[in-house]
Amino acid sequence: MFTLPIDTLIVFTVTTPFVGWIERKLHRKIISGIYAAVGFALSGFMLYQLSSQALSSPMVVPIHAGIFEACLRIDALSVFAAAIFLTMGFLVTVYSLKYMERDTGLSLYYTLLLAMITGMLGVVAAGDFFTLFVFWEFMCIPSYVLVAFRKQQWEPVEAGFKYLAMSSAGSATILYGMSILYGLTGTLNFAQLSVVMTSAAANVWGYVSLAFILIGFGVKASMFPLHTWLPDAHPAAPSSISALLSGIVIKAGAYGIIRTLFMIFLPSRFSWQIALAVFAALTMTYGNFAALLQKDIKRLLAYSSIAQMGYILFAISTTTSYGLTAGLMHTMNHALMKGLLFLCAGAFIYRAGTRNLDELKGIGHKMPLTAVIFTVAALSISGVPPLNGFVSEFMIVYAGVNAGMLAFTVVMLINILLGFAYYLRLIKIIVWSTPTENVKKVKRAPALMLLPMALMALSCIIIGLYPAPFIEMASKAAQAVI
Amino acid sequence: MIPLSYYLAFTAILYIVGIYCLATKRNMIRLVLGIEILVNAANLNFIILSANWKTGFVDPFAHSIVIISTALAGCISAVALTIVVYAYRHYGTLDARKLRRLRG
Amino acid sequence: MLPYSPWLAWFVPIIGCLLVPILAKINGKLRDWFSFLFVAISSVFTFSMLPDVFNGYLADVQVQWIPYFNLSVGVLVDPLSVFMASLVSFIGALILLYSIGYMAHEEGLTRYYFFMLLFIGGMIGLIMADNFVQLYIFWEIVGLCSYALIGFWYKKPEAVRAGMKAFIVTRVGDVCLLLGILILYFNTGQFAFSSIQNSAGFLSMSLLTTVMLLLFGGAIGKSAQVPLFVWLPDAMEGPTTVSALIHAATMVKAGVYLVARTATIFPSLSSDYLLVVAGVGAVTAFMAATMALATFDIKRVLAYSTISQIGYMMFALGLGTSGGWFASQFHLMSHALFKALLFLCAGAVIHITGTRDMRQMGGLRRYMPITYATFIIGALSLSAVPPFNGFWSKDLILEECFRLGGYTGYLLFFAGTLTAIITIAYAIRAVALTFLGHESTVLKDKKLREAPSVMTIPLIILASACVISGFLQPSFANLMSQMFPKIADLSIMNIEALPLSISLLALVVGGLPAYMVYVKRSVSPEALTRGSLSRGVYKLLVNGYYFDSFYNYVFVKGTVYISNKLRKLQTGILNVNMLAFLIGFLFLLGLLFSALQGGI
C-alpha cells in the first residue's frame, strides 16, 4: 500500500486496541505499551532498510487509487525526519510504560501515539500535497485527543479545545492555500509543482497561496502571532506527550514549511526570505522573554520551544544550504534536548506531584541521576560546549553570518543570552537549592523512566563531541531539497 | 457567464467569515462551526477551480480531494464536539470566554 | 619533550575529572590526592615542552573533526602557549595541594575536584588550541567550571547568584567573541591560527578592526575589564582556592592570552583597535585600583586588584609594540605568582579567623608569622617595590609606554603611574588592617594560630618564586624573542632613568600617606571621608562607580519589565488568539507584498 515503515505502523495502530482488550483480560497494564514499542522498533528497522536506497536519490512510490494519482516521495530529508520521529516515539513509549501507569485507558493512549507518529511519517514521506494534507490530519487529530487525554481534569480539556480550534484553523488555511495552488497549476504533485511554479513568472496569486500555506504550517510550527495554543497545550498534556509535541510535532510544521518553501516557492523566484526572518526574530524574542519568569516548569519549557522554533525558522530563512543544514541539525538536537527536558520534568512531576517551581525547589538532591541528566539537557539547550546544542546554535549563527543577515544574527545572539539566563535559573531552582518540605519525601526516578532519559542525555553528549556524521546526514537532507 | 473572480471572491469572503466566527463568537459550538466554515471555504475553492480549466470540463481530481477533505472535517468536528462536551462538564457553560484559567 | 605532551597536557586532567566520581566512591582522601597527582602529571608534560620550545621548536598538529566546516582539533606548540600552559599547570598543582588541606572539612568535594580538574584541563586546552573554534569551546567550558565552582557553597544564595552573574556577564563577552570568529571564518574560510595568519593580508582594515574589536569583547568579558568587570568581585563568594586559581591566576588571564595571540596572528594591528585596547586597559586599571581602596572584604580588595593589574597587561598590549607585548606577558607571569600567593594567604587568614571582613581582623602578625611574611612579599610585589618581580614587570610596562612616546605613550604612562600610586596605597591598607595593630573584639574569642603546613608550604614556594622570577627576565625574553625578534634586545639592565625615578617617586607618593593613615594611625581613616566631596567620592567607590546598579536597573529590571508586558499577550481567550492569527496573516501578506513590489 504505502511504504513498509508506514504500513508497519498502520498495522500496529489498528491492532493495538485489540491488544488492549487482551491486556484488560490479563490485568497487566504494560502489554500494549510493549506492543507499541515493538511497533516503533520494527518500523525503524524497515526505515533503515529503506534508507540506503532513499538517501542517494528520491524514491517515488505511487499510490494507485483509480484516477487519483498520489505518490510518496522519500528522499534524504524524509529519511532524516522519519528517523528522528521514530526514535523519539520509541523512547517516549518506553518512558510511558512507567509514567502513564496511573492512568486508565492506556491501550487507547498507545493507539493514539502510534497513529500520531504514523501521520508524521506520512507527512514527511508525502510526494504530493494532498497526501501530505491527509497524513497531516492523521497526525493532528490524535494529537488533539492526546493533549486532552486526562479529560477528568479541566486543564487538558481547556488546552485541548484551544489547541484544536487553532490547529484546525491552520489546517483549513493550508487547504485553502493548496486550492489556490491547484487553481494556478492544475496539479498537486511536488515535483510537477516545483517545475511549474519556477518556470512561470511570479504573480500575486503565487504569493497569496504562499501566505496561506506559510500561516497554516506556521500555526503548527508556533510562529509568533500563531503560537498561542502552545503555552497551554504543552503543559496540559501528559509529560511524555509534551516531549513529543515539543520535540517532533512542531517540527512537522517546520518540515511542511521547508518542503513547500524550497520545492514549490523557490527562493530564487519568490522573495519570502526577509518576511520569514522577521517572523523568526519575533518568535524567538517573544518566546525567550515570556519564558523568563514562569512559575510552571512545563510552561517555561513550552515558551522555550517557541523560541527554539524561532531559531529553526531563522535558519530556514537564510535560504542557503548552510542554513538549511543548520536548521535540520537543530531540529534533531532540539527534539533530543527538549524531549529530554520534558521527560525530566515528567519524572519530577511523577514523584513530587506538582509542576510549580516554587514547590520543586531542590528536588535535584533527592533525584540525583535525574538532576544530572536535567543539567546536561539544560546546558545543552543553552549552547554550552561540548554538547549538541552548541553545535547547532553555532551552525545557525554561522549560517546567518554567511547569508549576510547580520542584524538578525545579532538578535539571535541576544536571544541565546536570554535563553541561557532562564535555563540557569531552572538549574538553580532544581539543583542548587535546598529541598523544600514538599520535596523531602520524593524517591528517585524509576529505572524504566531513567533508561530512555539516560540514552538521550548520552546522545546529547556524543553528538556534541562527535557531530560530523550527523552534520553529514543533515547536509544530505538539505541537499535533497535545495 | 459569471467571471471566475466573483466565485473566488465568494470563497475568500467565506474564509473571512470563518475567521470572523472564530474570532468573535462565544459559544463553543459556534466556534466548531467556524472551523467547519473554514474547511468548506477551501473545499468550495477547489470545486470552483476545478471547473476553470476548459469550458464544459471538470477536473475530477479536485472533487476527490473535496470528498476526502469533507470526511476529515467530519473527524475534526467529532473530536471537537467531544472536547466541548467535556468542557461543558468541567466549566458548566458553553462560553469560550470562560475558558480563561490558563494565561500568562 | 615527552611524547604526545601537547595533547596529554590537557587530556590528562580531563580524564582525571571523569575518574573523580569513581575514585570518590572508593575513598575521599584518594580522590583528593589523585586530583593533585593528575595536575602534577599534566605539569610534567607542560614543563617537558619548555626546553624544546626554548630551542626554537614549533609545531601545529591537527586531527580532523568536522569536515563540513574544515574544522580540526589541534595543538599549537610555540613559546606563548607553552609558557602559559606551564604557568597554569604549575599554579594549578600548587593550589590543588593547598586545597587538600583547605577544603578538608567541606562536603561535596567530589563536585569540587571534578570541576577543578575539568577547569585545569579546559584552560590548558584553551591555551594549546590551534584554531578559534577549539579556543571558543574551551573558553565556554572554563566559564562553566567557573560558574559551578563559584556557586560551590550552593546553600548560600549569594554564592549561587554570584555564579549565575559570572556566567551571564562573561557570556555577553563570549557572544561577541563568537560573532568575531564567525565573521573571520566567513571572510577567510579558515579557523586555524596559522592559516589565518597566512591569509590575513587580504583582509581590509575596517573588517580587521571589526573582527578584532569583537574578539576583544570576549576578552573584556573573561578578563573582567570595564564594562564587564562586575562579576569578579562577586565571584569571591566561592572558596578561596577557586578565587586563587580561576579568578587570579588563570581564567581571567585567558582574555590577555587571546589578545596576545591575535597580536601574533595579525601582523599589522589597526590603530583604532589598539587605541580601544589601551583605553579600556588604562581606564580599568585606574578605576579598579580606586575601588580596591574603599572595600573592606579582603578578597574583594584582591579581586579589584586583579582587575586593575590585568588592565595594566591590556594597555601594555595596546601599545602595539613587541616590547609592550613582552612586558604584558612578563607581568602576566609575575601577577599570576603574587596574586595566587596573596589569595592563598587570604585563604589562610579566612580559615583561621572565620571572617572576610578586614574590620574584624588586626594584629594577626603575632599569631600567623609565616602568612604575614608571605603576604607582605606578595603585597610588595603587587606594589612594584624592588627587587620583587612586580617591580621588574610593571616597570617594564611603564618604560615601554615612555619609550613609545607620543600622545598615547605618555598618557598611558601617566595613567599607569597614577594607578601605581593607588596600588601601593591599598596594598599597605590591606596589610595594615589585617595584620598590624591590635586584634579586634571579634577575634578575641577565637583560637588564633598559624595555618597548617600543607597550606603554608605552597605559600613559601610562591613567595620564593615572587622573589626569583623577576630576575628570570633575560631567559624569558630569549624564549619570547622567537615570537617577536626585537624582544631579545630588552633587558632589565637597560633601565632608563626618568621612568624609573618617576615610578619610585610614585611609590613614595602613594605609600607615605597610606603609611601615615593605616600604619601609624596619625590620621584616622574616618577623618578622610568627612568632607562632602570625599564622602561623595567614597560612595562612588563603594558602589563600584554604580556599574552594578546601572546593569541591575537597565538589564535586570528592564528585562523583567518587558517579560511581564509580553506575557500579557497570552490572554487565554480563544477569540483573542484567533484575532492574533488574523493580524499575523495580514502582517505576513504585507511583508510579502512589499517584497513583491520593491524588495525589502
Side-chain angles (χ1 to χ4, degrees):
Chain A
M1 201 180 20
F2 306 115
T3 54
L4 270 176
I6 303 180
D7 287 343
T8 329
L9 279 183
I10 292 181
V11 164
F12 273 86
T13 311
V14 169
T15 52
T16 308
F18 298 107
V19 174
W21 179 79
I22 298 177
E23 144 187 323
R24 243 174 317 202
K25 290 293 172 202
L26 292 178
H27 293 292
R28 310 280 263 146
K29 267 192 179 178
I30 224 176
I31 296 181
S32 47
I34 299 182
Y35 187 68
V38 166
F40 282 120
L42 255 170
S43 178
F45 181 63
M46 306 288 182
L47 181 71
Y48 175 70
Q49 290 193 316
L50 203 62
S51 65
S52 48
Q53 178 190 0
L55 280 175
S56 42
S57 66
M59 203 176 100
V60 178
V61 175
I63 305 173
H64 297 297
I67 49 159
F68 190 68
E69 299 245 344
C71 64
L72 294 178
R73 181 196 161 86
I74 306 179
D75 56 11
L77 179 60
S78 314
V79 171
F80 183 76
I84 300 175
F85 298 160
L86 281 174
T87 318
M88 285 299 296
F90 177 73
L91 289 169
V92 164
T93 310
V94 173
Y95 179 89
S96 308
L97 288 175
K98 190 71 180 155
Y99 182 76
M100 299 293 289
E101 67 176 5
R102 298 175 188 157
D103 291 83
T104 55
L106 279 184
S107 60
L108 299 176
Y109 169 85
Y110 289 110
T111 315
L112 288 167
L113 208 148
L114 278 165
M116 188 167 80
I117 300 202
T118 314
M120 280 192 258
L121 277 196
V123 164
V124 300
D128 78 291
F129 223 141
F130 193 66
T131 315
L132 191 146
F133 182 73
V134 170
F135 277 112
W136 181 264
E137 293 291 358
F138 202 121
M139 164 187 85
C140 284
I141 297 178
S143 73
Y144 305 150
V145 183
L146 280 173
V147 166
F149 189 70
R150 292 181 173 152
K151 51 197 191 300
Q152 314 87 11
Q153 301 163 16
W154 59 269
E155 188 191 357
V157 171
E158 174 177 335
F161 182 69
K162 291 186 204 166
Y163 174 37
L164 190 150
M166 289 203 70
S167 184
S168 311
S171 309
T173 314
I174 298 176
L175 194 62
Y176 198 93
M178 268 164 60
S179 66
I180 301 181
L181 263 183
Y182 167 75
L184 280 176
T185 59
T187 172
L188 283 178
N189 187 314
F190 281 133
Q192 293 172 12
L193 266 177
S194 82
V195 169
V196 176
M197 292 297 282
T198 47
S199 51
N203 63 347
V204 182
W205 287 109
Y207 275 93
V208 170
S209 72
L210 167 63
F212 275 99
I213 293 178
L214 189 56
I215 291 287
F217 281 118
V219 169
K220 209 45 159 224
S222 69
M223 260 172 34
F224 171 58
L226 322 164
H227 67 284
T228 37
W229 57 273
L230 203 149
D232 299 332
H234 286 210
S239 296
S240 37
I241 300 299
S242 300
L244 281 184
L245 279 178
S246 262
I248 49 184
V249 173
I250 56 182
K251 305 309 192 315
Y255 170 84
I257 294 180
I258 294 176
R259 185 62 86 180
T260 49
L261 285 184
F262 281 97
M263 282 197 78
I264 306 178
F265 301 104
L266 263 76
S268 48
R269 277 263 166 218
F270 292 86
S271 44
W272 42 261
Q273 183 181 21
I274 299 289
L276 190 59
V278 167
F279 272 95
L282 285 171
T283 312
M284 34 167 134
T285 316
Y286 173 79
N288 276 321
F289 269 111
L292 271 173
L293 298 169
Q294 292 292 334
K295 286 251 186 281
D296 178 346
I297 186 174
K298 286 176 71 171
R299 209 174 165 90
L300 190 150
L301 294 175
Y303 274 114
S304 170
S305 290
I306 299 179
Q308 299 283 327
M309 279 311 289
Y311 299 161
I312 296 178
L313 289 173
F314 172 60
I316 297 174
S317 76
T318 57
T319 70
T320 57
S321 165
Y322 276 122
L324 199 52
T325 311
L328 289 173
M329 266 303 278
H330 198 63
T331 307
M332 177 181 79
N333 287 336
H334 181 246
L336 277 174
M337 302 184 295
K338 191 48 72 62
L340 183 53
L341 280 170
F342 268 111
L343 293 185
C344 290
F348 295 144
I349 297 169
Y350 182 78
R351 284 299 188 205
T354 171
R355 273 166 32 196
N356 194 333
L357 278 175
D358 289 332
E359 294 165 27
L360 280 177
K361 274 208 174 108
I363 197 172
H365 293 283
K366 295 292 178 179
M367 305 171 73
L369 205 53
T370 316
V372 168
I373 294 176
F374 185 80
T375 315
V376 166
L379 287 177
S380 173
I381 209 172
S382 324
V384 174
L387 299 167
N388 57 354
F390 166 70
V391 175
S392 48
E393 280 174 14
F394 177 83
M395 286 174 74
I396 298 180
V397 175
Y398 176 64
V401 170
N402 192 15
M405 303 164 82
L406 266 186
F408 292 106
T409 312
V410 169
V411 170
M412 168 137 181
L413 287 171
I414 296 177
N415 275 290
I416 292 181
L417 277 178
L418 271 175
F420 181 61
Y422 61 76
Y423 276 110
L424 275 192
R425 172 181 167 244
L426 251 189
I427 297 180
K428 171 183 112 168
I429 293 178
I430 302 274
V431 179
W432 300 127
S433 309
T434 41
T436 59
E437 279 310 310
N438 215 0
V439 160
K440 284 214 161 83
K441 43 184 170 46
V442 306
K443 298 180 292 190
R444 295 178 171 224
L448 208 51
M449 280 163 64
L450 275 179
L451 187 61
M453 281 160 52
L455 276 173
M456 286 165 83
L458 235 95
S459 57
C460 280
I461 300 179
I462 292 178
I463 297 179
L465 285 177
Y466 188 53
F470 300 97
I471 298 184
E472 284 307 312
M473 266 208 320
S475 162
K476 250 190 250 168
Q479 297 294 341
V481 182
I482 291 193
Chain B
M1 272 309 306
I2 306 178
L4 178 67
S5 49
Y6 282 31
Y7 286 110
L8 290 179
F10 177 66
T11 48
I13 292 176
L14 203 56
Y15 182 84
I16 294 175
V17 166
I19 297 283
Y20 169 81
C21 178
L22 275 173
T24 330
K25 299 301 173 190
R26 286 185 181 216
N27 192 328
M28 279 198 263
I29 300 188
R30 295 206 178 139
L31 292 175
V32 177
L33 284 177
I35 302 172
E36 281 294 304
I37 296 178
L38 281 176
V39 176
N40 283 323
N43 288 343
L44 202 51
N45 212 16
F46 264 113
I47 306 273
I48 291 170
L49 290 167
S50 74
N52 188 33
W53 299 111
K54 271 194 312 214
T55 46
F57 168 69
V58 168
D59 188 0
F61 179 53
H63 289 241
S64 35
I65 292 179
V66 167
I67 292 179
I68 299 182
S69 159
T70 313
L72 287 171
C75 291
I76 297 183
S77 302
V79 174
L81 289 171
T82 315
I83 296 187
V84 168
V85 167
Y86 277 105
Y88 183 73
R89 283 189 199 164
H90 282 292
Y91 288 82
T93 169
L94 279 179
D95 189 342
R97 303 238 174 122
K98 294 284 185 291
L99 265 65
R100 270 202 81 182
R101 296 186 198 168
L102 290 170
R103 50 174 137 164
Chain C
M1 173 169 101
L2 296 174
Y4 293 111
S5 39
W7 297 93
L8 287 176
W10 52 272
F11 221 62
V12 165
I14 293 184
I15 299 287
C17 101
L18 292 173
L19 289 177
V20 159
I22 305 175
L23 290 171
K25 288 269 192 277
I26 305 177
N27 183 0
K29 273 291 174 218
L30 185 69
R31 161 200 63 200
D32 299 355
W33 283 96
F34 253 95
S35 310
F36 167 66
L37 191 65
F38 276 112
V39 179
I41 295 177
S42 164
S43 59
V44 165
F45 281 119
T46 54
F47 275 99
S48 75
M49 290 191 277
L50 270 178
D52 293 22
V53 156
F54 247 107
N55 296 329
Y57 175 78
L58 283 171
D60 189 352
V61 183
Q62 293 170 338
V63 169
Q64 217 189 35
W65 186 37
I66 305 181
Y68 189 75
F69 275 111
N70 198 13
L71 190 56
S72 314
V73 179
V75 282
L76 180 66
V77 180
D78 74 357
L80 179 62
S81 58
V82 171
F83 150 65
M84 274 212 75
S86 319
L87 189 66
V88 168
S89 54
F90 171 68
I91 296 188
L94 274 181
I95 290 184
L96 275 182
L97 181 64
Y98 181 95
S99 307
I100 300 180
Y102 186 75
M103 306 286 289
H105 301 294
E106 300 286 340
E107 49 168 16
L109 279 181
T110 312
R111 202 173 11 115
Y112 174 80
Y113 283 107
F114 177 84
F115 280 112
M116 284 294 253
L117 280 175
L118 184 62
F119 171 79
I120 293 180
M123 188 71 202
I124 299 182
L126 191 162
I127 297 171
M128 304 295 296
D130 84 326
N131 62 61
F132 273 113
V133 174
Q134 194 176 332
L135 184 123
Y136 182 78
I137 291 179
F138 282 116
W139 189 273
E140 292 272 13
I141 291 180
V142 158
L144 172 69
C145 296
S146 165
Y147 153 77
L149 286 169
I150 294 174
F152 176 69
W153 288 312
Y154 61 85
K155 300 215 167 86
K156 281 199 304 178
E158 308 92 48
V160 176
R161 227 177 296 142
M164 280 168 66
K165 182 175 178 179
F167 211 178
I168 295 179
V169 173
T170 51
R171 204 110 203 269
V172 174
D174 296 349
V175 151
C176 298
L177 178 59
L178 183 63
L179 194 57
I181 294 176
L182 287 174
I183 295 180
L184 193 59
Y185 177 67
F186 177 53
N187 285 296
T188 59
Q190 299 288 343
F191 283 117
F193 295 152
S194 42
S195 325
I196 294 182
Q197 200 168 352
N198 292 336
S199 54
F202 301 114
L203 298 172
S204 72
M205 191 47 90
S206 58
L207 180 69
L208 197 62
T209 315
T210 318
V211 167
M212 297 197 66
L213 282 176
L214 284 171
L215 295 179
F216 185 59
I220 290 181
K222 210 46 141 219
S223 295
Q225 303 294 284
V226 165
L228 292 176
F229 65 93
V230 291
W231 62 273
L232 194 53
D234 290 351
M236 298 298 118
E237 296 291 337
T240 311
T241 44
V242 168
S243 307
L245 180 62
I246 300 185
H247 304 124
T250 46
M251 186 179 95
V252 292
K253 304 290 184 16
V256 179
Y257 172 75
L258 179 65
V259 178
R261 179 58 75 191
T262 51
T264 62
I265 297 176
F266 297 107
S268 55
L269 299 174
S270 76
S271 49
D272 295 332
Y273 163 72
L274 287 176
L275 208 61
V276 171
V277 173
V280 165
V283 167
T284 310
F286 178 71
M287 281 174 64
T290 54
M291 288 192 263
L293 207 47
T295 180
F296 288 109
D297 180 340
I298 188 172
K299 285 178 70 174
R300 267 180 105 94
V301 171
L302 296 178
Y304 282 122
S305 166
T306 307
I307 300 174
S308 172
Q309 296 297 310
I310 296 181
Y312 269 101
M313 297 175 220
M314 285 298 186
F315 80 68
L317 284 169
L319 290 172
T321 61
S322 53
W325 190 92
F326 173 74
S328 80
Q329 299 309 301
F330 190 38
H331 195 60
L332 193 153
M333 179 169 77
S334 314
H335 176 261
L337 292 172
F338 67 68
K339 195 46 69 64
L341 170 64
L342 284 169
F343 264 109
L344 293 185
C345 291
V349 168
I350 298 171
H351 189 81
I352 296 294
T353 61
T355 174
R356 275 165 39 192
D357 191 336
M358 290 193 293
R359 290 172 290 196
Q360 295 173 358
M361 299 179 199
L364 288 175
R365 78 181 143 113
R366 275 171 232 119
Y367 303 95
M368 309 176 69
I370 305 180
T371 314
Y372 172 58
T374 48
F375 193 85
I376 288 219
I377 292 179
L380 289 176
S381 302
L382 170 62
S383 321
V385 171
F388 298 104
N389 58 1
F391 164 70
W392 301 112
S393 52
K394 193 187 284 187
D395 195 67
L396 193 57
I397 294 180
L398 293 176
E399 246 186 70
E400 282 301 314
C401 297
F402 200 76
R403 202 169 289 165
L404 181 67
Y407 201 44
T408 325
Y410 289 129
L411 198 63
L412 288 174
F413 178 78
F414 172 68
T417 315
L418 202 60
T419 314
I421 295 177
I422 305 184
T423 308
I424 186 171
Y426 71 68
I428 293 183
R429 173 177 179 263
V431 170
L433 283 178
T434 316
F435 291 99
L436 303 178
H438 303 283
E439 303 93 66
S440 68
T441 44
V442 175
L443 285 186
K444 285 219 169 38
D445 313 317
K446 292 213 196 288
K447 206 171 56 154
L448 298 173
R449 52 185 164 77
E450 185 55 84
S453 41
V454 82
M455 284 165 61
T456 52
I457 291 180
L459 293 182
I460 299 176
I461 298 179
L462 280 173
S464 345
C466 283
V467 174
I468 301 174
S469 77
F471 299 102
L472 290 177
Q473 193 257 12
S475 31
F476 190 56
N478 242 339
L479 176 66
M480 289 301 181
S481 62
Q482 294 162 46
M483 312 281 311
F484 293 108
K486 287 214 289 229
I487 294 177
D489 302 332
L490 287 172
S491 161
I492 47 177
M493 298 305 143
N494 283 354
I495 306 177
E496 298 190 19
L498 184 56
L500 174 65
S501 38
I502 296 182
S503 303
L504 292 175
L505 189 62
L507 286 180
V508 176
V509 168
L512 206 54
Y515 183 75
M516 302 297 286
V517 173
Y518 289 104
V519 182
K520 299 276 271 199
R521 305 278 167 148
S522 43
V523 180
S524 99
E526 287 75 25
L528 286 176
T529 57
R530 207 161 289 159
S532 58
L533 178 65
S534 43
R535 197 162 335 138
V537 169
Y538 180 68
K539 270 188 69 171
L540 184 69
L541 297 182
V542 163
N543 286 316
Y545 288 82
Y546 295 108
F547 267 93
D548 247 332
S549 343
F550 174 73
Y551 287 148
N552 192 28
Y553 187 71
V554 172
F555 290 109
V556 177
K557 287 207 177 16
T559 314
V560 167
Y561 176 76
I562 297 178
S563 170
N564 284 327
K565 282 275 177 274
L566 280 180
R567 278 174 71 181
K568 289 211 170 40
L569 283 179
Q570 186 77 14
T571 52
I573 307 178
L574 183 59
N575 297 337
V576 174
N577 295 350
M578 286 311 295
L579 200 60
F581 177 97
L582 187 61
I583 295 176
F585 198 164
L586 294 173
F587 183 49
L588 178 63
L589 275 175
L591 281 174
L592 283 176
F593 280 132
S594 59
L596 179 60
Q597 298 293 4
I600 9 173

